[in-house]
Amino acid sequence: MQTSDVTVVGLGAMGVTIAGLFRAKGARVTVWNRSATRVDEEVARGAIAAPDVASAFAASPVIVMCVSNDDAVDAILGAPGVTLVGRTLIQLTTISPETARRGARWAREHDGHFLAGAIQAAPSQMGQPDTPVLVSGDRATWDAQRALLETLAGGLVYLGDDPGASATMDLATLSWVYGAMIGFVHGATIAQKEGLDVATYGRIVRDIAPSFGAFFAHEGAVIQSGDFTVSESPLRISVDATARLLETARASGLSTEFPALAASIFARAARAGLADREAAAIIEVMR
């Protein structure tokens, strides 16, 4: 028997935030977590405790899951008594595309509905008009649950019917994030080596980030079109710039690992005859 509006499975930092946002909107929230301490804390804040995960799924028409990893997801969906008849599972755990697709199959086999989401924000950034969350899965389910998801994030991006699309796009954006992080830290070593203030460097990066975001959006459209005619930045500029980064690192006694990788990829693109194409043509050698 349903006793609440929404169930939250998983009470890590993000799960606690999700439960709190639902309660703030007046929803009755059931919670379940492997650690009873977290459950007790949420009950003190007004949540309803489920005695086990099967009861948690049965308590609400919508179950939002945010647990640690793929293995935790599989263990929960395979737990005794867990079913989804007539209900919707919204999977917000960071998982692989295949785990998302497997979850969608599980939902169909249990006569329920499924959406997969990838949260691209920290817990403190949730619930804002621009909070980014990628969502994929059955369109009718997306239409039915969009208002509920807007409680968590105003920056929802629906990626289509493939339940694995949100996890795939999450991996794509993580590639950019970690590449940028490595480049940022290498830049900090350059600034430090020359006695410059790294905090100032960080602020400069923050201030130029919007213009580079617009540049990457343009390059994404170029790749999608397949037309690498120069429109913003010829690839040869990046060949020279990354070679200069590598030489600076060598001359300064800094680690050459990052600039050597960047310079080698752009040099390979130049050797492939792409120097006078748009910078995004580098994808031709990275494929």
Side-chain angles (χ1 to χ4, degrees):
M1 181 178 295
Q2 296 176 10
T3 58
S4 58
D5 301 306
V6 61
T7 290
V8 176
V9 172
L11 294 174
M14 187 62 77
V16 166
T17 298
I18 289 169
L21 287 169
F22 286 139
R23 285 199 308 274
K25 287 290 187 177
R28 295 169 298 160
V29 181
T30 294
V31 296
W32 181 85
N33 190 65
R34 283 178 293 183
S35 168
T37 300
R38 293 286 180 88
V39 173
D40 293 341
E41 291 169 353
E42 285 304 293
V43 168
R45 298 183 181 111
I48 303 164
D52 52 59
V53 69
S55 300
F57 271 67
S60 308
V62 180
I63 300 91
V64 176
M65 186 186 299
C66 189
V67 293
S68 56
N69 54 36
D70 299 65
D71 290 342
V73 168
D74 289 341
I76 288 169
L77 297 186
V82 172
T83 189
L84 201 63
V85 178
R87 295 172 172 79
T88 298
L89 172 60
I90 301 178
Q91 181 60 265
L92 296 182
T93 305
T94 300
I95 52 177
S96 70
E98 181 49 39
T99 298
R101 293 177 183 123
R102 191 163 59 247
R105 291 194 296 270
W106 178 90
R108 288 194 299 271
E109 291 165 0
H110 288 77
D111 297 320
H113 311 285
F114 180 87
L115 289 175
I119 297 172
Q120 302 204 299
S124 64
Q125 298 169 318
M126 295 296 290
Q128 301 303 310
D130 60 349
T131 302
V133 174
L134 311 177
V135 184
S136 58
D138 174 67
R139 180 60 187 249
T141 305
W142 156 249
D143 289 339
Q145 302 302 332
R146 181 171 184 171
L148 181 140
L149 284 167
E150 285 175 344
T151 299
L152 308 180
L156 299 171
V157 179
Y158 177 63
L159 296 171
D161 289 325
D162 176 7
S166 56
T168 299
M169 193 66 81
D170 188 48
L171 289 171
T173 58
L174 284 176
S175 178
W176 169 71
V177 167
Y178 288 122
M181 183 66 187
I182 294 168
F184 175 80
V185 173
H186 182 80
T189 68
I190 294 173
Q192 279 188 324
K193 186 70 175 182
E194 295 297 321
L196 299 177
D197 180 61
V198 178
T200 299
Y201 159 70
R203 290 192 295 272
I204 291 170
V205 170
R206 176 199 63 196
D207 292 343
I208 67 175
S211 62
F212 273 92
F215 172 74
F216 290 136
H218 173 78
E219 297 299 281
V222 167
I223 292 170
Q224 183 65 26
S225 74
D227 181 0
F228 295 104
T229 303
V230 174
S231 52
E232 284 285 355
S233 179
L235 190 143
R236 68 170 60 256
I237 292 176
S238 296
V239 175
D240 293 342
T242 52
R244 190 162 59 251
L245 271 174
L246 177 56
E247 180 53 36
T248 298
R250 286 171 174 162
S252 301
L254 302 174
S255 169
T256 61
E257 190 170 8
F258 165 70
L261 174 63
S264 69
I265 294 173
F266 277 102
R268 185 153 50 97
R271 290 194 300 271
L274 301 172
D276 292 318
R277 309 294 280 167
E278 179 63 25
I282 193 175
I283 196 170
E284 298 286 3
V285 299
M286 295 186 70
R287 282 173 173 149

